[in-house]
Amino acid sequence: MTMYETVHVSVDAMIEDLRRLVEIESPSRDLDALRVSANAVAALIESRLGGQAILVESDAGPHVHWSAGGDPKVLILGHHDTVFPLGTLERRPFMVEDGQVTGPGVFDMLGGLVQGVHGLATLDDRSGVEILVTADEEVGSRSSRALIEERALACGAVLVLEGAADGGALKTGRKGCGTFQVSIAGRASHAGLEPAAGVNALIEAAHQVLDIAALGRPDMGTTVTPTVASAGTLDNVVPAQATVIVDVRVESADEKERIESAFAALAPHLDGAEIAVQGAVSRPPMPESASAELFAVAKRLLPDLEGKAVGGGSDGNFTAALGVPTLDGLGAVGGGAHADHEYLVIEAMAERANLVAGLVKAIQNA
């Protein structure tokens, strides 16, 4: 299947390294857990690649940065935070069976991180290679974005170790994504004695949910999905407060601007109600043009590879928006990201490690 020389990587060694990372739980925003995780990631990189991995402190937890030295040419990008709370491992332990690895974070995205490091370890020349593993990708990358963008611009090419798309496809495009919070202030009153004296924030929220949902344009790749709502305090009180949280995905910068303007223009339906909106499309779209050059290289290495544009966002959205060639989905083959059935396909591990190595070598020699 391959048209390039593969170098032996030990799948058993990759699985053991993956076990060490998975068994250190690393939920986003848990600073103590993330520090332990960051130290483990740094130790893995140093043990396999040599040199020194630096912990970059942030209010979201430590990011891990490693450089092989030389003129920067390629940034390998990943994250070590996961969406799973402490205690998930006890309920869903790391397991290897039936050709799969399961456990919290194996697919998103600790498996890809391990594969990438082992792939780089096969290269005699690692000059110009940098690795950045952030602590806050799952919660928006607010503390890491500036560092990601700085190193991407310095290197000029980015390989993202997020899990593959369905069937092992690389992710050649991503939607921009963001979260909006719509807060509604009404006025409380007794639901039985003086219902008309109140301003019902829940009813206003119902109007707003319908207005917001109508902003979607699926034919243009824009989805606007109210996901979480809360309102009220007691069953006999007209609710004075309500909150609606909305997930937004867009394929173009024009749609990003339209959606942000529409949220800013939301107006109340009920007299006396007030609306406040927070949020933005914080990850810009990753156009397929950003991945075209690197995907062509990947296809030369593995002609059967497919590329897919997907709805989820990653830190590759930031680097692509800067005009830096970016290829995503180079990590684990598997599925079930953020779900209890998350899994990694063992059979694909060696090939993906070699693919990362082949891409790096091609970038170095370009």
Side-chain angles (χ1 to χ4, degrees), residues 18-97:
L18 179 56
R19 179 192 298 274
R20 276 190 283 274
L21 294 187
V22 171
E23 291 184 345
I24 299 170
E25 294 182 284
S26 54
S28 307
R29 298 193 176 101
D30 188 322
L31 300 186
D32 291 337
L34 289 167
R35 178 162 298 281
V36 177
S37 175
N39 280 311
V41 170
L44 166 65
I45 293 171
E46 291 174 354
S47 69
R48 297 297 179 186
L49 302 178
Q52 183 177 8
I54 305 298
L55 297 193
V56 181
E57 300 296 337
S58 84
D59 59 6
H63 314 308
V64 183
H65 181 238
W66 176 89
S67 173
D71 183 31
K73 290 186 176 180
V74 57
L75 177 66
I76 311 294
L77 190 55
H79 63 90
H80 65 98
D81 64 319
T82 72
V83 300
F84 301 105
L86 291 179
T88 302
L89 188 68
E90 184 176 359
R91 178 173 58 84
R92 192 158 57 86
F94 183 93
M95 294 184 65
V96 180
E97 61 181 6

Side-chain angles (χ1 to χ4, degrees), residues 184-187 196-201 203-204 207 267-274:
I184 298 152
R187 184 170 61 247
V199 177
N200 195 316
I203 292 177
E204 180 61 53
H207 285 294
H269 288 250
L270 304 182
D271 289 341
E274 297 179 356

Side-chain angles (χ1 to χ4, degrees), residues 42-319:
L44 166 65
I45 293 171
E46 291 174 354
S47 69
R48 297 297 179 186
L49 302 178
Q52 183 177 8
I54 305 298
L55 297 193
V56 181
E57 300 296 337
S58 84
D59 59 6
H63 314 308
V64 183
H65 181 238
W66 176 89
S67 173
D71 183 31
K73 290 186 176 180
V74 57
L75 177 66
I76 311 294
L77 190 55
H79 63 90
H80 65 98
D81 64 319
T82 72
V83 300
F84 301 105
L86 291 179
T88 302
L89 188 68
E90 184 176 359
R91 178 173 58 84
R92 192 158 57 86
F94 183 93
M95 294 184 65
V96 180
E97 61 181 6
D98 299 327
Q100 296 183 349
V101 180
T102 55
V106 293
F107 177 68
D108 186 14
M109 51 89 57
L110 300 174
L113 177 58
V114 168
Q115 291 170 186
V117 170
H118 278 255
L120 292 175
T122 67
L123 298 175
D124 294 329
D125 177 16
R126 299 173 201 141
S127 60
V129 179
E130 295 189 18
I131 301 173
L132 179 58
V133 186
T134 64
D136 63 344
E137 191 274 344
E138 296 290 6
V139 290
S141 306
R142 278 178 282 276
S143 78
S144 58
R145 180 174 180 174
L147 179 60
I148 291 166
E149 293 176 339
E150 172 196 316
R151 297 323 307 158
L153 287 168
C155 291
V158 177
L159 304 178
V160 186
L161 298 179
E162 293 282 1
D166 291 346
L170 300 187
K171 294 173 179 177
T172 52
R174 284 184 178 273
K175 291 185 179 183
C177 54
T179 302
F180 291 82
Q181 178 174 302
V182 180
S183 300
I184 298 152
R187 184 170 61 247
S189 67
H190 195 294
L193 297 177
E194 295 185 301
V199 177
N200 195 316
L202 177 54
I203 292 177
E204 180 61 53
H207 285 294
Q208 293 301 322
V209 164
L210 294 176
D211 290 348
I212 290 165
L215 296 174
R217 290 183 179 172
D219 57 316
M220 300 183 67
T222 300
T223 59
V224 181
T225 310
T227 54
V228 180
S230 61
T233 53
L234 294 171
D235 58 4
N236 63 351
V237 178
V238 172
Q241 303 287 335
T243 302
V244 178
I245 297 175
V246 187
D247 178 276
V248 172
R249 311 278 165 152
V250 299
E251 286 186 359
S252 70
D254 287 346
E255 280 294 274
K256 174 184 184 296
E257 292 178 10
R258 180 184 72 83
I259 289 294
E260 290 178 343
S261 296
F263 270 93
L266 288 174
H269 288 250
L270 304 182
D271 289 341
E274 297 179 356
I275 294 175
V277 177
Q278 294 177 298
V281 180
S282 54
R283 291 186 194 272
M286 174 181 163
E288 292 193 74
S289 58
S291 66
E293 179 183 344
L294 291 173
F295 183 60
V297 176
K299 286 282 286 183
R300 290 198 294 271
L301 297 174
L302 286 175
D304 291 343
L305 268 179
E306 294 184 357
K308 293 182 180 179
V310 297
S314 83
D315 288 336
N317 290 57
F318 297 135
T319 63

